[in-house]
Amino acid sequence: MSFPDFGHTCVVGLQWGDEGKGKIVDVLVPYYHVVVRYGGGANAGHTVVVSGEKFALHQLPSGILHSERLSVIANGAVVDPAVLLGEIQSLRQRGLRIGENLRISDRAHVVFPYHRREDQLSERAAGPVEKIGTTGRGIGPCYADKASRHLGIRIADILDPARLRERLSATVSYKNALFRTVYEQREQFDVEAILSEYTAFADQLRPFVCDTALLLREQMDAGKRVLFEGAQGSLLDVDHGTYPFVTSSNTGPGGVSPGAGVPPTSLRTIVGVVKAYTTRVGAGPFPTELKNSIGDTIRERGGEYGTTTGRPRRCGWFDAVAASNAALTGGPTHLAVMHLDTLSGMDELPVCVGYRRGGSIVNRLPADTYHLDGVEPVYERLPGWSESLNDCRRLADLPANTRGYVDFIARRLGAPVRILSVGPGREQTILVEDSAG
Ligand code: GDP
Ligand code: IMO
Ligand code: MG
């Protein structure tokens, strides 16, 4: 099977986010007609490097860099209009065409300033142990309001000023009471101020808005191939991740059907993206974390600083237990292994294959993830490589130990590796044919 035969495809992270999904989507886009974000919001930060020029995308699908492709923000994503419009403007200033090639769902929920405030206040109130370390973008409160039904406001609502006033009046009075009584805040939100700001946003968004589920059905019926761009990582999934240290959406491939309104049988291919090591940003268990100079070296070499918040990412060895849990729930048909170049120069590469707790070893993430804080990783040690990989373009260019390391990951996760990445650039990518992989 060659890449053009992949059918409708989903690209998802199998770790705690920032695996390199943006780069993989950018590499695969030429084989597809439509690119869809189906979950998450401005908490995502997807980096694409084209001829040395860096683009960081938060709300827009990475496909937007290919203006001849259709980019869709589907119903399962949450939209912060200020961030989205800012992103559109800055890409236009950099010469990109954004018009007919962008579509936004009329059913997507909208992030408001009170969501950001609630995110920040609830984090502050949680204290140092319970704090999630969110991106502060209002994502959790927006998804919570969506599920509450009384409080959620969708793109279709902001397009209708009378409807928006009605919805906002109810929601803002509830939020003001919450901020006053629970968080003892004196500053209150004003319906009229939000109304005028969001009516202006709505006027700018209107040309892009449509029923994207219907659009995707039409595109699929017309034989167009669709690439679904996952945001966050499978271990941040609200159901299958390290709850409660997760985001508020279904980040794995299971999120595609409700998040985009396509049948669950639509996906032919699921590309699971992993870094050759592990990173995490924000709080929560991380058994293989390296709080030492090796962790610092990986952070500096790999440029491991958050795309959205700039926070230094926590770094550690590859955790095959955690990633294979993500593979178990997500079912990747193929893998992309990123940042192999970052590991050059390490004598040996420990890979976590179990968690030891007391006298027993487990190889599944426990439901109570607070237990993970006390586990000791069981490592299998693989030989490292000293060569720089940045200029490798074929599988045969890679040192034998690099290939051995990649094969080990593939065996542990139970899927073949089809893409290897040896640098941030588009060209620093090795596509593996079936016979070789
Ligand atoms: P995403 O959220 O999954 O799209 O990932 P991010 O963009 O947040 O983080 C991945 C970072 O690694 C970005 O800075 C990429 O440019 C960079 N990157 C991606 N693949 C590679 C690689 O193979 N090697 C190196 N050195 N950097 C990479
Ligand atoms: P991309 O798409 C890495 C993390 C936050 C925090 C937790 C909850 O770039 O991979 P939230 O703001 O969503 O309520 O935060 O999830 N998080 C991410 N970490 N990459 C992301 O997105 C993330 N999006 C959220 O750091 O731990
Ligand atoms: Mg990211």
Side-chain angles (χ1 to χ4, degrees):
M1 188 162 69
S2 61
F3 279 96
D5 293 334
F6 261 31
H8 306 309
T9 297
C10 177
V11 170
V12 286
L14 297 181
Q15 294 161 315
W16 281 289
D18 302 327
E19 295 88 351
K21 300 174 292 295
K23 167 169 171 170
I24 291 303
V25 168
D26 181 63
V27 166
L28 293 180
V29 167
Y31 303 106
Y32 295 83
H33 304 94
V34 187
V35 184
V36 183
R37 273 283 305 270
Y38 61 90
N43 49 348
H46 295 181
T47 315
V48 178
V49 180
V50 187
S51 312
E53 194 182 355
K54 191 166 165 172
F55 296 87
L57 300 156
H58 302 284
Q59 285 276 184
L60 290 164
S62 303
I64 202 75
L65 303 181
H66 301 248
S67 52
E68 70 292 355
R69 298 290 188 266
L70 187 59
S71 286
V72 175
I73 300 177
N75 59 281
V78 291
V79 175
D80 186 327
V83 176
L84 174 58
L85 289 165
E87 207 162 293
I88 292 173
Q89 191 189 4
S90 97
L91 290 179
R92 279 180 174 156
Q93 279 165 358
R94 293 171 76 174
L96 280 147
R97 184 178 66 80
I98 301 178
E100 297 275 289
N101 55 330
L102 175 64
R103 287 290 170 263
I104 303 167
S105 170
D106 48 8
R107 285 148 172 93
H109 279 252
V110 179
V111 176
F112 285 87
Y114 49 76
H115 289 132
R116 286 189 292 270
R117 172 86 65 85
E118 193 177 342
D119 194 353
Q120 286 146 13
L121 290 172
S122 64
E123 280 282 88
R124 207 182 305 159
V129 177
E130 307 288 331
K131 188 175 184 286
I132 296 163
T134 71
T135 58
R137 300 294 162 106
I139 304 299
C142 184
Y143 276 115
D145 285 358
K146 171 180 179 174
S148 85
R149 294 149 300 155
H150 292 298
L151 302 170
I153 300 181
R154 308 200 287 179
I155 291 282
D157 299 318
I158 69 166
L159 295 184
D160 174 349
R163 178 84 184 133
L164 180 59
R165 181 187 294 278
E166 200 181 292
R167 295 293 291 177
L168 265 182
S169 303
T171 302
V172 169
S173 66
Y174 175 90
K175 296 289 179 186
N176 278 339
L178 174 79
F179 294 142
R180 201 171 50 242
T181 54
V182 176
Y183 297 111
E184 298 171 348
Q185 297 287 303
R186 256 183 268 134
E187 200 193 329
Q188 299 280 278
F189 283 96
D190 173 33
V191 173
E192 293 308 320
I194 300 178
L195 191 62
S196 88
E197 189 183 21
Y198 275 68
T199 309
F201 288 153
D203 288 339
Q204 295 180 69
L205 293 178
R206 197 180 306 276
F208 302 114
V209 178
C210 72
D211 176 348
T212 55
L214 181 62
L215 173 73
L216 290 175
R217 165 56 44 214
E218 288 164 356
Q219 291 285 319
M220 288 176 166
D221 286 349
K224 309 285 185 195
R225 278 187 299 274
V226 183
L227 183 61
F228 295 92
E229 175 174 353
Q232 289 73 57
S234 302
L235 299 174
L236 291 170
D237 184 284
V238 67
D239 281 286
H240 301 292
T242 49
Y243 192 88
F245 300 99
V246 293
T247 190
S248 302
S249 57
N250 285 121
T251 55
V256 167
S257 178
V262 297
T265 47
S266 304
L267 291 180
R268 175 157 7 134
T269 309
I270 298 170
V271 179
V273 187
V274 288
K275 269 179 190 158
Y277 46 93
T278 311
T279 64
R280 175 161 208 172
V281 57
F286 184 172
T288 62
E289 182 171 11
L290 293 163
K291 293 181 184 168
N292 57 21
S293 59
I294 304 177
D296 295 342
T297 303
I298 294 176
R299 184 178 309 107
E300 292 317 312
R301 278 212 211 138
E304 296 294 357
Y305 292 87
T307 311
T308 298
T309 58
R311 290 180 289 181
R313 294 175 182 150
R314 301 157 65 193
C315 299
W317 297 125
F318 189 81
D319 186 341
V321 177
S324 58
N325 262 255
L328 179 127
T329 54
T333 57
H334 301 86
L335 298 173
V337 181
M338 318 299 289
H339 275 271
L340 286 161
D341 55 303
T342 303
L343 293 183
S344 291
M346 305 271 180
D347 289 341
E348 63 170 22
L349 297 168
V351 173
C352 175
V353 293
Y355 301 143
R356 184 178 286 117
R357 195 182 168 80
S360 54
I361 294 176
V362 293
N363 50 20
R364 176 100 175 95
L365 286 173
D368 182 352
T369 45
Y370 288 94
H371 278 160
L372 273 178
D373 282 336
V375 303
E376 186 199 331
V378 178
Y379 285 116
E380 196 155 325
R381 291 167 193 281
L382 280 78
W385 56 90
S386 55
E387 299 88 332
S388 162
L389 306 185
N390 295 118
D391 296 326
C392 295
R393 295 292 175 269
R394 293 172 312 136
L395 203 57
D397 296 339
L398 292 174
N401 286 352
T402 314
R403 279 186 276 158
Y405 187 75
V406 170
D407 287 345
F408 186 85
I409 291 177
R411 276 199 303 279
R412 283 276 157 186
L413 271 53
V417 174
R418 282 299 296 267
I419 309 174
L420 296 91
S421 177
V422 293
R426 238 180 220 177
E427 69 294 350
Q428 292 173 307
T429 313
I430 300 171
L431 303 183
V432 185
E433 292 308 319
D434 265 354
S435 53

